[in-house]
Amino acid sequence: MELIVVENPQEGAKVGFNIINDVMKANEINVLGLATGSTPVEMYKLISESDLDFSDVVSINLDEYIGIGKDHDQSYDYFMRKNLFEAKPFKANYLPDGLETDEAKECDRYNQLIEDNPIDLQILGIGGNGHIGFNEPGASFDSLTEKVALAPSTIEANARFFETKDDVPKFAYSMGIKSIMSAKKIVLFAYGEGKQDAIKGLFEGEITEDLPASALRNHPNVTVVVDKAAAGKLSL
Ligand code: GLP
């Protein structure tokens, strides 16, 4: 894995933008895998303000909360529209449907979408516990899209976006680790002290299902962009 340490999240957003800009200008992107969370917001802003044209590109998002619909302001569908898609129209935007109650049907649909649209570049954030997408510690490295339970620490971390902790959905549909690993290139971003342990584990710990992101060490083309705070525990 390539490691890029930047001063702060703003610098990280620029690095991320440049990576996307380069592959877009080289016409290497048909399918872009996207992430939500606070981490990529600034990069999405730079993309929104750029001259990049995504009208021939398909986007596939990692995950969606179960039980809230597209128009709920905390749904990932809403997040993506507000932070990127309204400014940059794509050929198609795919996210799991958080209101689909037929779990098997929704997971099959999403897995088929990923198979039909192989991801060229996948953007990732990381949870403080090392989750990627919503693949919490213990998730199988062989997993495809599944209904997953959020870890208590994830519910805690995401409570800041909801009125109360009880409003945070307890389940999500998430691309699995194997789905994420099928992307040709992966760029993971992590900012802030809260990500220090996950980043240390990612580079210096064991490759283990206890740290879902550690699967990325088995991928041939991964870049990790961290700010100094997130890199704080690395023995550089
Ligand atoms: C969320 C998302 C992840 C995201 C992570 C970190 O729960 N499911 O895709 O990478 O947690 O979020 P943040 O970027 O806000 O720290």
Side-chain angles (χ1 to χ4, degrees):
M1 294 189 302
E2 182 194 12
L3 172 66
I4 300 176
V5 182
V6 293
E7 277 302 316
N8 52 45
Q10 289 72 27
E11 289 299 315
K14 283 186 204 156
V15 169
F17 172 76
N18 288 336
I19 292 172
I20 292 180
N21 190 51
D22 289 351
V23 289
M24 286 290 291
K25 296 265 157 81
N27 271 327
E28 287 170 3
I29 297 277
N30 295 310
V31 183
L32 184 57
L34 294 172
T36 52
S38 50
T39 303
V41 169
E42 184 65 23
M43 180 177 74
Y44 291 159
K45 190 157 170 263
L46 296 179
I47 295 174
S48 299
E49 293 164 355
S50 74
D51 64 354
L52 288 174
D53 177 4
F54 291 88
S55 55
D56 282 331
V57 177
V58 166
S59 75
I60 303 192
N61 261 78
L62 287 167
D63 47 12
E64 178 62 284
Y65 290 119
I66 289 179
I68 60 177
K70 290 179 193 307
D71 292 323
H72 189 292
D73 66 4
Q74 291 308 325
S75 75
Y76 286 167
D77 197 295
Y78 186 93
F79 173 100
M80 289 309 305
R81 275 180 282 136
K82 291 295 161 199
N83 285 290
L84 187 62
F85 299 156
E86 282 179 1
K88 286 290 172 193
F90 282 63
K91 185 161 136 193
N93 299 124
Y94 297 117
L95 287 98
D97 177 357
L99 290 184
E100 176 56 67
T101 51
D102 186 338
E103 182 186 321
K105 181 177 149 204
E106 182 57 9
C107 294
D108 286 351
R109 178 186 77 89
Y110 218 65
N111 288 326
Q112 191 62 51
L113 265 173
I114 297 165
E115 207 178 305
D116 295 344
N117 298 278
I119 297 171
D120 297 299
L121 172 62
Q122 177 67 53
I123 303 301
L124 289 181
I126 186 169
N129 63 2
H131 76 220
I132 47 176
F134 267 130
N135 296 286
E136 301 286 18
S140 165
F141 282 177
D142 284 328
S143 55
L144 297 174
T145 307
E146 282 178 5
K147 176 183 176 179
V148 295
L150 272 56
S153 63
T154 301
I155 293 175
E156 194 80 49
N158 290 0
R160 68 191 194 278
F161 300 117
F162 291 83
E163 256 175 54
T164 72
K165 198 167 104 180
D166 288 343
D167 294 326
V168 184
K170 308 290 178 288
F171 296 93
Y173 288 120
S174 179
M175 261 191 214
I177 303 280
K178 198 172 175 184
S179 330
I180 294 171
M181 291 288 283
S182 71
K184 285 192 199 114
K185 178 174 176 59
I186 297 174
V187 187
L188 181 146
F189 299 86
Y191 307 132
E193 275 182 29
K195 306 289 169 74
Q196 280 183 347
D197 289 331
I199 293 301
K200 185 170 175 65
L202 172 57
F203 280 93
E204 297 172 8
E206 279 172 55
I207 298 178
T208 163
E209 290 177 350
D210 292 338
L211 189 85
S214 67
L216 301 176
R217 295 236 298 273
N218 292 326
H219 191 286
N221 193 348
V222 177
T223 299
V224 179
V225 181
V226 297
D227 68 356
K228 285 196 163 161
K233 288 193 179 167
L234 287 177
S235 8
L236 290 170

